[in-house]
Amino acid sequence: MTPGVAPSGWTATECLLPLRQLRVKTTARRADGGWLVNGQKIWSSGAKEASHLLLLARSDTHEGSRARGVTSFLVNNPSDGLVVRHIPKVGMRGFGSCEVFLDDVFVPDD
């Protein structure tokens, strides 16, 4: 971590979809003043300690292209509807990994 910089977590991988970030099942739909995000992420690095989570969500469906319609979102942690669960691993000093659950988590446009 860098002094003076808010810690953030990276949440790309989804359950049953390792290393296939463009096959995103987490969704984001337009809401008044922002987006509502729903889905699940796993092996999210640093999510328990992070003040923000960077995640990918499908914001639009595009036939024929997995990359189109995928948007990155910066989610405040904590947020209403956001649950972060630590995944126990071997080693006391390993970088923490978590499961992240999103249930109508509001992400403002700004």
Side-chain angles (χ1 to χ4, degrees), residues 14 25-27 37-41 100-104:
E14 295 188 352
K25 295 203 182 282
T26 298
T27 61
V37 181
N38 289 280
Q40 177 183 355
K41 302 290 186 176
V100 175
F101 301 89
L102 304 115
D103 184 22
D104 280 342

Side-chain angles (χ1 to χ4, degrees), residues 69-97:
V70 175
T71 304
S72 61
F73 291 91
L74 191 62
V75 178
N76 290 328
N77 185 19
S79 286
D80 289 339
L82 177 68
V83 176
V84 178
R85 292 188 189 144
H86 180 72
I87 299 172
K89 297 189 301 186
V90 175
M92 292 175 34
R93 292 180 175 76
F95 195 61
S97 293

Side-chain angles (χ1 to χ4, degrees), residues 14-98:
E14 295 188 352
C15 189
L16 303 177
L17 295 173
L19 303 177
R20 296 182 182 149
Q21 283 83 6
L22 293 180
R23 293 184 182 171
V24 175
K25 295 203 182 282
T26 298
T27 61
R29 69 179 190 280
R30 272 284 191 200
D32 189 30
W35 299 82
L36 291 174
V37 181
N38 289 280
Q40 177 183 355
K41 302 290 186 176
I42 194 164
W43 301 116
S44 301
S45 301
K48 196 75 170 167
E49 299 80 15
S51 62
H52 296 83
L53 303 176
L54 181 63
L55 64 88
L56 299 175
R58 181 141 322 266
S59 57
D60 194 2
T61 56
H62 281 58
E63 296 298 323
S65 174
R66 289 182 298 197
R68 289 191 176 158
V70 175
T71 304
S72 61
F73 291 91
L74 191 62
V75 178
N76 290 328
N77 185 19
S79 286
D80 289 339
L82 177 68
V83 176
V84 178
R85 292 188 189 144
H86 180 72
I87 299 172
K89 297 189 301 186
V90 175
M92 292 175 34
R93 292 180 175 76
F95 195 61
S97 293
C98 301

